[in-house]
Amino acid sequence: MTPSPQAPVPPPPAAREPHVARVHGVELSDEYAWMRAENWREVLRDPSALPADVRAALEAENEYAAQTLLPFEALRRTLVAEMRGRVKEDDAQAPLPDGLYLYYACYDQGAQHPSFRRSQEDGGKVEVLLDAEAESRGKPFFDLAHARHTPDHAKFGWSADEKGSELHLIRVRDLATGKDLPDVVADTDGSFVFGADSAHFYYVRIDDDNRPAQVLRHRLGEDPARDEIVFAEADPRWFIHLKRSQSGAFAVISVSDHDAAEAWLIDLADPQARPRRVEPRAPGLRYEVEHRGGRLYILTNADGAQDFFLASAPLEAPGKASWSCEVPHRPGRMIVDFAVFPEHLVWLERENGLPRLMVRHVESGEDHAVAFDEEAYSLGLEERLAFDQRSVRFVYSSMTTPRETYDYDLSTRARVLRKRQEIPSGHDPAAYVSRRVYAPAADGELVPVSLIHRRGLDLSAGPPLLLYGYGAYGHSVPAGFSAPRLSLIDRGFVFAIAHIRGGTDKGWRWYLDGKLENKKNTFTDFIAAARHLIAQGFTREGNIVAHGGSAGGMLMGAVVNMAPELFAGIVADVPFVDVLNTILDAELPLTPPEWLEWGDPIREPAAFARIRSYSPYDNVEAKRYPPIFALGGLTDPRVTYWEPLKWISRLRARADGGPFLCRTNMAAGHGGASGRFDRLEEAALQQAFAIACAQGAFRAGREPVSPTPAAP
């Protein structure tokens, strides 16, 4: 029988077991601590090892969520069909040149995963290098992480996560036979860099705590168990990342925590090379490097340059003592990315929340900017395969304009459109209005808010509004295009992004003002954005659905504790909500690095008190909350599955309102479903929940309505 709001299904009972800890003289009671499986490390590698009682709890929650949302199943299916109708199923990337070939990824009709192909620049036959759709068949989860050909173009490396736990297998395919070599390298982060001889590659090994801790060298044809460790990081607070330099001459090892970074170079022309450090790590010093000719180019915050500057140094003496300024620091103008070319230096900067592309001719020192017209937009540099290019590839979009891929000639300044995102079901940018407004925070700061709605939308009745936020780790949220969100907007929603503190939307200061002792600014900024949108007539109190994921899920838990009356509903993806218990647990792989972001509650009583004051799980109160939908992943190594499960269980036990729903993907991790259409299924489920919240359909006596969208 199909349930209805008049006859709701009862939530599953969650066992409560006494568990008390005492920290800094404070007693912490956690009746749901049992949900954290003692063998969680084993579960990441083998989900079938999950203890039976925990599995039963997760499955009961999944069934309750499914039954509660069943009245909206027709709406969800409609949303999926709309979203899929906006996807060009046989889509292809704009090809990238390298040597005699053009390389690109594409999708076949109906495929969830891409195919990697190449053709000769003079128009020769198309070769299929890797069909990821074929590789994914029969696997509950499959996420391709990295794919790259060898320098001699004879082999093709690829890596994939087959459990959602971010433990990737690396394989190498012989393109002459189309078969993978016997070497399979396990427990990696997915990145790899081939040596110049095409006979060896470097990769990052994940340790038993799911931490990227070592760089190894693998020689093709040899047993991976004999791979040589060329770099290791013993401090659990520092993580390793690996990339190829844009010049192709070096593998660059980046070692970083949330406060500082250090770079090492491996000469790819030397099969026996040892890493060479650029500049020793120091508290607060961040830098990253690229190579051009006889010099290194360095993006850094050295010497108090909070928003970063670009420097260069001789390759033979790359340390800080040799750094000379190329693009000076300017407070409020943050340099976020850069690229080096044979004759040019290109960088992406952001000021007051908006990006700008800058180009310099190195020899003459002449600079110019690449201009864009819209009020709010997203801009990003694309990778290239060959260093000797005369144009930079960038991708532009806005909340109304689909993605456009351009090649920009650095000398002639000609801009060539290489690809425009197609919306097969139709899309008219003029049918939408995109705005940038500024919400005043309590301390006088202005919080940028990007928003979009249908042109002609009647704002007088306070339409529903979905407000998205993140606000952590210095990550900015671009005001870019999203085809799936049009389903909400076409049904009368306003969609808004709050560019709150904790990100770098307004420079590095914006990040520092939203971490450690300033963390609560993130939450109050989001609430200020919500109240400003209400005051400006874009919505009304109680008609906002808030959405955030991971650290943005923590944001969701905090703001609904602080101001539940503002919200019609909350969607929290893989929400980091059990903050205090997690940051007190030094055994969890991400905890030691996180102390620099949130504080160390183990050793610092002030940090303990501060985190305890906002940790969502620890601040659930006996008051009325709106409906909340939390989504987790069983094999998630970043936000463990028990965080949303515990949070929803405590909400249900202590609070009124709801319903409070927890849905765990039993075959995925932090990123959710891996296939492009499976991801639409998840997005549609979240949107159906948001629409139901805006309708008040969870209240007694309300029947679900499937609103008709406006024409594209």
Side-chain angles (χ1 to χ4, degrees):
M1 184 176 69
T2 301
S4 72
Q6 289 88 347
V9 293
R16 302 168 70 178
E17 299 181 3
H19 182 278
V20 177
R22 197 166 187 85
V23 183
H24 300 303
V26 176
E27 188 174 278
L28 300 177
S29 178
D30 186 3
E31 66 276 25
Y32 301 111
W34 65 270
M35 294 175 172
R36 177 192 188 275
E38 292 301 317
N39 68 334
W40 61 266
R41 290 181 179 86
E42 182 185 3
V43 172
L44 288 177
R45 296 170 181 271
D46 179 12
S48 68
L50 186 69
D53 58 340
V54 179
R55 182 176 295 277
L58 291 171
E59 290 176 345
E61 289 290 347
N62 283 355
E63 178 62 20
Y64 173 61
Q67 290 299 315
T68 302
L69 295 172
L70 190 58
F72 315 105
E73 176 60 18
L75 172 59
R76 187 196 66 81
R77 288 196 301 266
T78 298
L79 293 169
V80 169
E82 287 177 15
M83 293 177 184
R84 189 153 178 167
R86 299 189 191 102
V87 175
K88 180 174 170 54
E89 295 205 10
D90 56 346
D91 204 3
Q93 175 191 40
L96 290 166
D98 189 17
L100 299 176
Y101 296 98
L102 294 171
Y103 287 87
Y104 61 99
C106 64
Y107 285 91
D108 292 324
Q109 192 78 19
Q112 296 252 37
H113 303 279
S115 173
F116 292 84
R117 302 179 185 181
R118 74 181 178 191
S119 62
Q120 293 194 1
E121 279 200 289
D122 60 6
K125 70 172 184 176
V126 173
E127 299 176 70
V128 177
L129 310 178
L130 174 73
D131 182 355
E133 182 73 2
E135 298 296 336
S136 73
R137 290 187 187 122
K139 298 169 183 172
F141 184 92
F142 181 88
D143 185 38
L144 192 74
H146 187 50
R148 180 60 59 87
H149 57 278
T150 52
D152 65 3
H153 303 273
K155 303 178 188 68
F156 193 77
W158 60 285
S159 61
D161 174 8
E162 298 182 2
K163 291 187 174 65
S165 54
E166 300 180 35
L167 296 168
H168 298 81
L169 299 170
I170 299 175
R171 300 176 174 89
V172 178
R173 179 158 298 183
D174 184 337
L175 296 178
T177 65
K179 303 293 184 182
D180 288 333
L181 302 178
D183 336 38
V184 178
V185 181
D187 294 345
T188 82
D189 75 344
S191 63
F192 57 86
V193 178
F194 283 110
D197 62 3
S198 300
H200 70 281
F201 64 83
Y202 298 92
Y203 65 94
V204 177
R205 175 180 285 167
I206 301 294
D207 67 12
D208 291 340
D209 287 328
N210 257 64
R211 177 177 154 266
Q214 298 173 332
V215 176
L216 289 86
R217 178 165 44 222
H218 176 71
R219 301 186 188 281
L220 297 181
E222 295 188 1
D223 183 351
R226 298 168 53 192
D227 288 352
E228 178 186 6
I229 298 172
V230 297
F231 184 87
E233 178 54 60
D235 190 331
R237 295 171 299 178
W238 291 75
F239 280 15
I240 291 173
H241 304 280
L242 181 70
K243 69 171 186 177
R244 190 187 73 153
S245 69
Q246 293 167 8
S247 68
F250 297 100
V252 182
I253 301 171
S254 175
V255 193
S256 62
D257 61 11
H258 289 305
D259 179 60
E262 178 181 75
W264 298 68
L265 304 178
I266 303 176
D267 185 350
L268 293 177
D270 180 2
Q272 304 295 331
R274 308 304 302 178
R276 177 188 176 200
R277 186 165 56 188
V278 174
E279 169 66 21
R281 66 187 70 171
L285 175 64
R286 305 177 72 93
Y287 72 93
E288 56 186 89
V289 301
E290 281 295 347
H291 165 245
R292 173 184 175 271
R295 298 188 71 80
L296 281 185
Y297 284 76
I298 305 110
L299 176 62
T300 180
N301 68 345
D303 303 323
Q306 189 176 76
D307 286 321
F308 294 79
F309 70 98
L310 279 167
S312 70
L315 185 58
E316 65 272 12
K320 184 173 178 289
S322 301
W323 293 358
S324 60
C325 180
E326 297 287 346
V327 180
H329 173 245
R330 191 174 79 214
R333 186 276 313 265
M334 183 175 170
I335 302 176
V336 296
D337 197 7
F338 75 109
V340 291
F341 291 81
E343 297 178 1
H344 293 84
L345 175 64
V346 175
W347 67 94
L348 189 65
E349 59 187 38
R350 186 167 54 243
E351 191 166 14
N352 205 24
L354 288 177
R356 180 168 51 238
L357 187 62
M358 298 294 299
V359 177
R360 169 173 296 175
H361 186 264
V362 174
E363 186 173 338
S364 69
E366 180 186 1
D367 294 347
H368 71 270
V370 183
F372 304 94
D373 297 329
E374 293 188 80
E375 186 175 341
Y377 55 87
S378 170
L379 187 63
L381 297 177
E382 289 285 276
E383 72 164 346
R384 67 191 195 273
L385 300 179
F387 177 69
D388 190 15
Q389 297 292 305
R390 305 297 170 179
S391 62
V392 61
R393 178 164 292 181
F394 66 83
V395 174
Y396 173 91
S397 74
S398 74
M399 298 183 84
T400 61
T401 305
R403 287 167 53 96
E404 297 174 338
T405 302
Y406 290 92
D407 281 343
Y408 180 80
D409 191 296
L410 297 168
S411 298
T412 68
R413 307 188 185 184
R415 190 184 308 187
V416 179
L417 178 65
R418 295 298 184 192
K419 175 179 171 57
R420 176 176 284 122
Q421 180 182 357
E422 294 183 42
I423 309 296
S425 60
H427 174 69
D428 178 11
Y432 302 89
V433 175
S434 178
R435 295 278 309 278
R436 172 67 66 96
V437 299
Y438 294 88
D443 60 359
E445 291 284 2
L446 294 177
V447 180
V449 182
S450 302
L451 60 89
I452 178 176
H453 59 77
R454 290 283 305 192
R455 190 175 298 279
L457 177 67
D458 181 6
L459 298 176
S460 63
L465 182 145
L466 191 139
L467 183 60
Y468 179 84
Y470 186 74
Y473 305 112
H475 295 319
S476 62
V477 181
F481 185 77
S482 168
R485 74 167 66 121
L486 293 177
S487 288
L488 278 183
I489 297 165
D490 288 344
R491 284 173 170 78
F493 270 73
V494 177
F495 182 93
I497 300 169
H499 304 281
I500 52 183
R501 279 176 280 190
T504 53
D505 302 80
K506 293 180 72 173
W508 199 256
R509 177 187 66 85
W510 206 241
Y511 168 46
L512 298 179
D513 281 353
K515 67 180 293 192
L516 295 173
E517 64 274 6
N518 299 319
K519 187 61 208 171
K520 283 192 176 179
N521 285 336
T522 302
F523 317 136
T524 55
D525 280 1
F526 191 86
I527 291 170
R531 289 186 169 140
H532 183 70
L533 292 168
I534 293 166
Q536 294 298 305
F538 289 105
T539 187
R540 56 181 168 81
E541 183 175 293
N543 211 20
I544 298 173
V545 178
H547 182 197
S550 195
M554 177 186 65
L555 170 70
M556 296 299 100
V559 299
V560 78
N561 281 337
M562 296 167 69
E565 71 281 358
L566 294 177
F567 305 108
I570 301 286
V571 179
D573 282 322
V574 289
F576 178 33
V577 283
D578 193 14
V579 183
L580 185 60
N581 285 318
T582 295
I583 303 301
L584 282 169
D585 188 349
E587 291 186 4
L588 292 173
L590 293 184
T591 290
E594 294 297 300
W595 291 330
L596 287 170
E597 184 75 16
W598 317 102
D600 182 354
I602 298 174
R603 298 167 185 83
E604 302 169 11
F608 171 83
R610 183 174 65 246
I611 295 170
R612 183 169 176 251
S613 73
Y614 64 72
S615 174
Y617 180 67
D618 297 278
N619 286 278
V620 172
E621 296 179 342
K623 60 186 179 186
R624 189 167 190 83
Y625 283 73
I628 296 176
F629 189 17
L631 299 97
L634 177 60
T635 54
D636 186 348
R638 298 172 185 253
V639 177
T640 48
Y641 72 83
W642 59 81
E643 295 214 18
L645 179 63
K646 288 173 60 177
W647 181 47
I648 291 300
S649 298
R650 181 168 278 185
L651 278 163
R652 203 176 286 141
R654 294 186 179 182
D656 295 324
F660 308 120
L661 308 177
C662 180
R663 180 180 183 269
T664 302
N665 191 325
M666 305 297 282
H670 196 66
S674 58
R676 59 173 175 161
F677 300 129
D678 289 343
R679 288 193 292 270
L680 296 182
E681 298 278 347
E682 292 186 344
L685 184 63
Q686 294 173 20
Q687 287 194 12
F689 176 82
I691 292 168
C693 291
Q695 292 179 0
F698 290 112
R699 300 173 197 153
R702 296 288 185 90
E703 291 291 341
V705 177
S706 181
T708 303

